[in-house]
Amino acid sequence: MTSTVPDATHYVPENLPNHLQHYINGQFVDSVGGGTFDVLDPVSNTNYATAAAGQQEDIDLAVAAAREAFVNGPWPLMKPRERARILNRIADAVEAQEVRLADLESFDTGLPITQAKGQALRAAENFRFFADLIVAQFDDAMKVPGSQINYVNRKPIGVAGLITPWNTPFMLESWKLAPALATGNTVVLKPAEFTPLSASLWAQIFKDAGLPDGVFNLVNGLGEEAGDALVKHADVPLISFTGETTTGQTIFRNAAAHLKGLSMELGGKSPCVVFADADLDAAIDSALFGVFSLNGERCTAGSRILVERAIYDDFCDRYAARAKAIVVGDPHDPKTEVGALVHPEHYRKVASYVEIGKSEGRLLAGGGRPEHLPEGNYIAPTVFADVAPDARIFQEEIFGPVVSITPFEDDDEALALANNTKYGLAAYIWTQNLTRAHTFSQNMQAGMVWLNSHNVRDLRTPFGGVKASGLGHEGGYRSIDFYTDQQAVHISLGAVHTPKFGGIAAPTATER
């Protein structure tokens, strides 16, 4: 471990832990082999803690605890209302830690504090939503009059392996934890190695809420070690993963041996299509927020803006002027709109795309590190115009505060450009023409489309992508479906009329 103390002028939350452990079967533990890895904050890029580095043996222990809790523990057999009470206590505890969570999340990820403050409330709402849903849940029952009744018996599946990303980690963990636990499964969570800090809060929250030991387990570690062991484990029938597409492909291959259930939300390169009849002020507001909020580190970022030629020059001028005015600075400063990227490794990736973009488009704003921030993982909001559809910054996910703008002449060209990537997660369409809005959205190769809106989400709706952006959907009843088996039970009413195989001797040759 190198430097361990952030600069004195850099904000550091109080009572910051200097070591993060696993949580297995109700106990905080270190790795069996004693391995650790360093955790740094993205403003000072100094290591402030170590974390236990999970290996195969640690995953084995966590899965064994989760399996025991599933097979012999009370959790899967509890009535929905009993589980819902615990889920609501979890939500209360999360809300109570809103300020502390925001401090930790902002410090660990570089997310501006004003944007971090909403993460606890969103996480709490996920638990409340699924607490309500499992109580209200009903399943199909069909009757053939005088003959048969058929009904569906919904059952939890077992141990769910949850692998989560480093952008808004606590809230995204709740997206998976809430439905997995609500439906009676037990879990092993492997949080992102870049941002393990806020995940460490779950253990005490769950214990205080009355969650039985072994139902929730957490193993820190690298994806290629702890994550890989979790995916390959024979006693983990479900894997829910959020992350980039290449890792998703590896998980898909490694899960095949055991035919695991998979839910994967992967990469994105989402288009924001602005037609000439759009409310331009609203479209610019949304297009700025959609790519520069959360430091541009968001899967649904509208990072390809397609603008109708008639308004193209005006849009570029106004958009670039606003991008230049975005406040980049210390994440803890409430005036900051774009903070530090999560890790030096990711900073180098995004910075390399900025350099690539300088040869692929016309630079209108940004283009590198802000002059007033010589240290830390800062990149100024960067805008490229006149970007061709075969450009790398048009085709490849950058996952940072970098956007490309491309003109189009008509609806057909706009649709072709919008669908011209391997990704298909989200899309944003701005037009006052109702017929165009619905027709265009239905022809989009995207799992989610927002019309005249930024990314606002109803928890009842499906969340997921198509093409290289994902496999399956989460949200609402789709999450319930993923985390449960639906067993069909058939009951006969009255006499059963079954063909009598072997009940009557076949006639002999002479009898014929």
Side-chain angles (χ1 to χ4, degrees):
M1 190 166 168
T2 56
S3 177
T4 58
V5 181
D7 185 274
T9 62
H10 168 43
Y11 174 79
V12 178
E14 295 181 355
N15 301 316
L16 195 66
N18 57 23
H19 181 60
L20 303 172
Q21 296 178 293
H22 309 310
Y23 183 75
I24 298 174
N25 202 26
Q27 301 294 324
F28 288 99
V29 296
D30 282 319
S31 295
V32 172
T36 64
F37 62 92
D38 292 333
V39 185
L40 57 76
D41 84 86
V43 171
S44 67
N45 278 333
T46 54
N47 298 317
Y48 69 87
T50 58
Q55 305 291 324
Q56 178 73 61
E57 55 266 38
D58 304 297
I59 291 293
D60 288 345
L61 290 172
V63 173
R67 179 66 183 165
E68 173 65 20
F70 182 78
V71 174
N72 296 314
W75 186 250
L77 301 178
M78 283 184 181
K79 294 178 180 179
R81 177 67 71 184
E82 294 175 319
R83 288 201 299 267
R85 289 193 183 101
I86 292 177
L87 295 178
N88 277 310
R89 289 200 291 269
I90 291 169
D92 291 341
V94 170
E95 287 180 347
Q97 296 202 45
E98 178 186 3
V99 174
R100 174 65 171 171
L101 173 64
D103 259 7
L104 297 182
E105 201 82 319
S106 178
F107 176 77
D108 199 31
T109 69
L111 185 68
I113 190 67
T114 54
Q115 297 169 42
K117 284 182 176 177
Q119 302 305 310
L121 299 181
R122 290 186 66 186
E125 180 58 25
N126 285 326
F127 280 92
R128 296 201 194 284
F129 175 84
F130 284 103
D132 291 342
L133 198 61
I134 58 168
V135 172
Q137 172 75 36
F138 64 93
D139 286 300
D140 296 329
M142 289 75 64
K143 180 179 179 181
V144 181
S147 176
Q148 196 175 62
I149 290 176
N150 312 285
Y151 68 89
V152 174
N153 177 36
R154 193 180 288 270
K155 303 187 295 183
I157 294 174
V159 180
L162 312 179
I163 303 175
T164 51
W166 46 255
N167 57 319
T168 61
F170 190 85
M171 191 272 293
L172 291 179
E173 288 154 7
S174 75
W175 277 16
K176 301 180 188 301
L177 287 166
L181 295 174
T183 47
N185 298 281
T186 59
V187 304
V188 177
L189 171 67
K190 206 298 283 184
E193 57 264 33
F194 283 176
T195 56
L197 180 58
S198 60
S200 66
L201 298 177
W202 287 118
Q204 197 62 49
I205 288 172
F206 288 147
K207 182 176 281 290
D208 292 346
L211 194 72
D213 289 347
V215 174
F216 167 76
N217 304 274
L218 181 151
V219 178
N220 292 300
L222 306 183
E224 58 268 29
E225 296 173 353
D228 186 63
L230 185 60
V231 168
K232 292 176 178 176
H233 202 291
D235 287 336
V236 180
L238 294 174
I239 295 292
S240 179
F241 169 74
T242 299
E244 55 95 23
T245 299
T246 302
T247 303
Q249 292 169 327
T250 300
I251 290 173
F252 193 99
R253 287 191 296 269
N254 290 339
H258 297 289
L259 297 176
K260 294 176 186 281
L262 292 175
S263 176
M264 298 196 291
E265 185 230 310
L266 305 178
K269 193 68 177 177
S270 302
C272 175
V273 185
V274 184
F275 289 93
D277 66 342
D279 179 337
L280 196 55
D281 290 332
I284 289 173
D285 285 343
S286 177
L288 284 159
F289 179 84
V291 74
F292 296 129
S293 61
L294 306 184
N295 300 343
E297 297 165 326
R298 58 187 307 157
C299 54
T300 55
S303 54
R304 292 183 299 133
I305 303 177
L306 312 176
V307 184
E308 192 166 2
R309 178 69 73 178
I311 60 168
Y312 181 74
D313 290 339
D314 184 32
F315 181 94
C316 288
D317 290 344
R318 293 173 61 182
Y319 190 91
R322 289 278 298 277
K324 291 176 182 176
I326 290 173
V327 178
V328 184
D330 191 312
H332 193 67
D333 187 336
K335 297 188 295 295
T336 293
E337 295 169 304
V338 170
L341 300 186
V342 68
H343 192 274
E345 179 182 314
H346 186 60
Y347 169 84
R348 289 190 290 271
K349 173 195 169 185
V350 176
S352 72
Y353 274 107
V354 171
E355 294 307 308
I356 290 169
K358 291 175 182 178
S359 64
E360 292 186 332
R362 176 165 54 97
L363 181 63
L364 300 183
R369 177 184 292 278
E371 292 183 1
H372 69 289
L373 295 167
E375 304 294 335
N377 305 324
Y378 294 102
I379 288 184
T382 297
V383 181
F384 292 105
D386 308 340
V387 178
D390 61 349
R392 288 185 63 186
I393 62 169
F394 186 99
Q395 292 289 336
E396 300 175 17
E397 184 178 40
I398 300 173
F399 218 67
V402 182
V403 68
S404 66
I405 308 178
T406 302
F408 65 85
E409 299 293 342
D410 54 29
D411 290 32
D412 289 342
E413 185 181 13
L415 184 63
L417 288 169
N419 289 336
N420 182 26
T421 72
K422 69 179 183 180
Y423 298 106
L425 188 57
Y428 307 86
I429 301 168
W430 288 86
T431 179
Q432 299 294 331
N433 184 319
L434 186 62
T435 299
R436 169 195 280 154
H438 289 287
T439 302
F440 199 90
S441 66
Q442 290 173 27
N443 287 307
M444 286 293 306
Q445 295 170 1
M448 300 167 286
V449 180
W450 280 269
L451 300 177
N452 298 323
S453 169
H454 65 279
N455 184 341
V456 291
R457 177 156 181 244
D458 186 324
L459 293 179
R460 296 169 294 182
T461 59
F463 189 99
V466 299
K467 300 195 295 187
S469 287
L471 177 70
H473 291 81
E474 298 183 1
Y477 285 113
R478 281 82 177 177
S479 291
I480 300 293
D481 286 342
F482 176 69
Y483 289 108
T484 57
D485 277 327
Q486 298 172 63
Q487 180 187 60
V489 180
H490 307 275
I491 307 167
S492 293
L493 302 175
V496 179
H497 302 287
T498 305
K500 293 185 179 298
F501 277 36
I504 301 175
T508 64
T510 56
E511 289 174 331
R512 292 196 193 97

